[in-house]
Amino acid sequence: MAKQKSAEQPSESNGVSNGETLYVSDVDRSLIVARNEDILFNPLSNVGENVLNWVKSQHDRRLFKWAKGIEPDQEVDCESDLTYLRSLDPVQWKDQDHYQVVGLRHLRERASEDDIKKAYRIRVLKHHPDKRQAAGETINTEGDYFACIVKAYEILSNPAKRRAYDSVDPLFDDYTPSKSVKSPEEFFTVYGKWFALNARWSNDQPAPFLGNMFSTRNQVDDFYQFWFDFDSWREYSYLDEEDKEKGQSREERRWIEKQNKAQRAKLKKEEMARIRSVVEQAWSLDPRIALFKEVSRQEKLEKKLAKQRAVQDQKDELEKVRLEEERVIREETERQQAEEKERDAAAKKIKEAQKRALKKERKTFRTVCKSNNYYSEDDKTTVENMASMEELCEILQLEELTRLNELLANLSIDDGRFEFERTVQTVAQRISEEKAKTAQEAYKESDNSGGGGGGGRRSKGEEQWCHEELQLLIKAVNLFPAGTAQRWEVVANFLNQHYQGSSGKKRSAKEVLAKAKDLNSSDFSKNSLKEEANQKAYEFFEKNIKNPNAAVVVESEETKREEGVINNKSGPVSDSNAEKPWTAAEQKLFEQALKTYSAAAHPADRWDRISECVPGRSKKECVARYKELAALVKAKKSAQVVK
């Protein structure tokens, strides 16, 4: 205990000056000499709360001892004190310093009840009117200052009245510290003194001190929490303008009390606002708060960066996994593509080799047939055998054609003719069987298809599609291309207009659609329509051979949609003067000329002008083209109207 006490006492190296102990402050690491009474208002080094409490207790003990050592009569006999007492007015008793009146100015709020009683007795013995009158002093009975001494003792001896007076102590300075502090040391000095002075009003004792730069964050938070929630016992009943006891009636006393309470509440509110504003001002200027905020900001920033890094690492890991998966998939795809490419290349080589071999065998077959006069005896048989030769070249496979060539090469002309005719018959029989099988499957498929499907079920009484109906169907499909409004109804109407069956029954749009799909999905190379077209082509060829000077008339219709315009070309075409088809550019110029030169504006020379606008076309060709387009438009309109 002795060691602790000796450690807590100030060192003698600080010295004594004029009876006052000197202390050393290390706030700015320089020597600061402070008086004993100011030590509580200067920041101390962080050496512990016990040292601070010990210094405060020593200060209070020395101060109290010094005050006790002063004899009351010494102050009473003081000329300045006597002058102050004689200057007092009993009527203005609220404006006097009661502690100075009773001789306790040096103790003030620290004075005990015994101190007050003792000081009052001394004042009474020295300043009682009877005693002063006996000494020859003239006494003013109406305004003697002794009444002020009695009033001061009355207030200080009553705890409630003394508390009310201490709340408005005239020597207490209700100042507000300056907002401009140049350094942390100045902040702790200025605001530390203010908080120490105003701590006397707190109901919660002891009040925490401001501390210094070495204070922890918890200590700083507790300090400001205490002062933000400051609970003051200070009240202002001493400043009441009127005493309610002077009221003549109960209503008047109530009114006076109400006015006094309102005035007290106003002053209390102003006092709490003063303390609150200083606390907020200290919070904003406290260098520790700025440091703590910066530390918190750095911690938040570090957490945010750590979180971002974690998210980025996770993204990088996922991206790495994704890239690895893509690499594996890409390598697998490349491997499969390389294998497929190799297979395709090998297949292509095989196919090209087969094509070359097939081409070679066909050439060999044609050469053999030609060298043997196509195994014929007259011109008619020659033409037929030439057609059969081409048919065999088209139908026979490579192996079959190779065997046939080897067989014909080793046979005589007669045996070769026999083998040629036998092969032709065999191929013809095969084609017939395939046609029958295909037709049977098509009708079976049509019969077994569902009613809600694309084909529709054929009824028992439905007629078979004849060749003329199929030709009209193909023509109508080309005439009314995709995009035509209600296309299949229009095609069905066109078909019913141009063909009447034996039973007179008309084709529905569903039947037309089903048949069109059937024709589209079937193998056209084995279709009877192709065979008939080939037969007609051969007939035209034979007719042309027999009569080369005769004109060959070919009925053809070609429907195109070039930039929204339908071009239909039909008519007689001769070998000597074939009609040149209209191109898209010519059609566009022709349509523009029709719009530019109307029949009303140019009734005489309209077609001459139109033919001049279309290079390479005569007036006759332009008129024929116009009539052709007009007939097509009229046919389409009539087919769309009749449903």
Side-chain angles (χ1 to χ4, degrees), residues 60-72 74-75 103-108 110-111 115 118:
D60 292 341
R61 183 177 62 80
R62 293 191 189 98
L63 188 62
F64 187 75
K65 184 178 180 180
W66 172 78
K68 285 289 186 181
I70 299 177
E71 293 294 335
Q74 294 178 4
E75 189 172 349
L104 296 176
R105 183 181 181 182
H106 56 288
L107 294 179
R108 303 194 72 79
R110 294 188 299 275
D115 295 334
K118 183 178 178 181

Side-chain angles (χ1 to χ4, degrees), residues 134-227:
E137 184 180 349
T138 303
I139 304 300
N140 184 5
T141 57
E142 294 182 357
D144 189 67
Y145 66 85
F146 186 76
C148 295
I149 298 175
V150 175
K151 189 66 176 180
Y153 177 72
E154 177 187 349
I155 291 174
L156 296 178
S157 62
N158 188 325
K161 293 182 179 180
R162 183 184 178 184
R163 190 181 184 93
Y165 176 72
D166 288 341
S167 298
V168 293
D169 190 346
L171 297 185
F172 183 80
D173 188 5
D174 291 330
Y175 76 98
T176 299
S178 175
K179 293 183 179 180
S180 58
V181 290
K182 299 180 180 179
S183 64
E185 291 79 9
E186 184 180 357
F187 168 79
F188 288 115
T189 301
V190 173
Y191 282 87
K193 183 176 181 179
W194 186 91
F195 282 112
L197 289 176
N198 286 270
R200 62 183 290 189
W201 309 122
S202 176
N203 282 322
D204 301 328
Q205 293 293 342
F209 294 104
L210 180 61
N212 51 38
M213 286 298 294
F214 298 99
S215 300
T216 63
R217 186 165 189 168
N218 291 333
Q219 292 175 345
V220 176
D221 291 341
D222 293 341
F223 171 79
Y224 282 105
Q225 185 65 34
F226 175 86
W227 282 97

Side-chain angles (χ1 to χ4, degrees), residues 43-89:
L44 300 176
S45 59
N46 190 17
V47 295
E49 188 177 357
N50 294 331
V51 174
L52 190 63
N53 293 335
W54 182 84
V55 171
K56 182 180 178 183
S57 63
Q58 292 297 317
H59 168 73
D60 292 341
R61 183 177 62 80
R62 293 191 189 98
L63 188 62
F64 187 75
K65 184 178 180 180
W66 172 78
K68 285 289 186 181
I70 299 177
E71 293 294 335
D73 55 350
Q74 294 178 4
E75 189 172 349
V76 171
D77 292 339
C78 180
E79 186 65 25
S80 62
D81 187 67
L82 184 59
T83 303
Y84 173 73
L85 291 175
R86 288 176 178 176
S87 66
L88 296 176
D89 185 1

